[in-house]
Amino acid sequence: MSRIVAREMVMKYIYGLDINNNWDEDREKLNSDSVFIRDFLEENEEIDEKDLIYMNNILMGMSHNLEEIDNLIESNSKDWKLSRFSRIDLSILRLSVYEILYIEDIPHQVSITEAVRLAKKFGSKNSSKFINGILGGIVRSLGIDS
């Protein structure tokens, strides 16, 4: 499996947690079962260990840092509350912000480019510009070179 597919799967899982309001309930599952993502796969795809580790690290880390991630997104969204965001856009943003903050081996520009790609594939007509703007603002506010 490629990182692109792994990233899409993680975004879909984040979306599902958000739609079902299961962040707290699934936190226990995320912490207790390091290979839980296998159950999320609907097809019997072969999961490469590197991608499995990536997916688990994102979801476990995100469950512990969700408040910080959401605060950063909201503070860079020009007076928008998270409740106004489409759930897809918010899921993509959460994933990308987590990568930017916590995964050192993924360049920030790659995280932003992949978020824009996900927005074009899964979001609305304006999602990619919206997401690109917020992520650019986050990177600038953190003083990070993208």
Side-chain angles (χ1 to χ4, degrees), residues 2 10 15 17 20 22 38 43 52 58 64 69 72 77 84 93 95 99 101 103 107-108 116 125 129 143 146:
S2 73
V10 170
Y15 175 78
L17 289 173
N20 294 312
N22 280 347
R38 292 181 202 270
E43 302 166 9
L52 180 62
I58 292 262
H64 293 292
I69 291 165
L72 193 55
S77 63
R84 288 186 63 193
L93 284 164
L95 169 60
E99 285 184 352
L101 293 176
I103 302 183
H108 303 117
V116 169
K125 180 175 82 169
K129 291 178 185 176
S146 58

Side-chain angles (χ1 to χ4, degrees), residues 69 72-74 76-78 85 89-101 108-119 127-146:
I69 291 165
L72 193 55
I73 292 168
E74 197 167 61
N76 283 277
S77 63
K78 302 191 183 187
F85 286 49
D89 291 354
L90 184 55
S91 300
I92 294 167
L93 284 164
R94 284 173 167 163
L95 169 60
S96 186
V97 170
Y98 184 85
E99 285 184 352
I100 290 167
L101 293 176
H108 303 117
Q109 192 54 47
V110 170
S111 294
I112 293 170
T113 299
E114 285 300 307
V116 169
R117 185 191 62 75
L118 287 170
S127 290
S128 60
K129 291 178 185 176
F130 177 70
I131 286 172
N132 189 50
I134 290 176
L135 292 174
I138 288 171
V139 167
R140 282 187 300 278
S141 75
L142 296 172
I144 299 172
D145 293 330
S146 58

Side-chain angles (χ1 to χ4, degrees), residues 2-79:
S2 73
R3 178 59 58 92
I4 290 171
V5 173
R7 192 175 272 112
E8 284 184 16
M9 289 179 58
V10 170
M11 185 275 302
K12 289 176 183 177
Y13 197 86
I14 293 167
Y15 175 78
L17 289 173
D18 197 39
I19 288 294
N20 294 312
N21 200 23
N22 280 347
W23 279 103
D24 291 332
E25 182 180 313
D26 275 22
R27 187 169 288 157
E28 296 264 336
K29 183 178 179 184
L30 292 170
N31 290 331
S32 66
D33 183 3
S34 66
V35 292
F36 80 93
I37 197 74
R38 292 181 202 270
D39 296 334
F40 180 66
L41 291 171
E42 294 178 5
E43 302 166 9
N44 293 325
E45 292 185 52
E46 194 64 33
I47 302 175
D48 122 344
E49 195 63 28
K50 187 176 178 181
D51 289 329
L52 180 62
I53 291 168
Y54 162 82
M55 292 186 294
N56 281 312
N57 286 344
I58 292 262
L59 292 168
M60 288 176 15
M62 186 160 316
S63 74
H64 293 292
N65 297 291
L66 187 61
E67 186 175 344
E68 176 188 6
I69 291 165
D70 284 353
N71 287 339
L72 193 55
I73 292 168
E74 197 167 61
S75 68
N76 283 277
S77 63
K78 302 191 183 187
D79 299 322

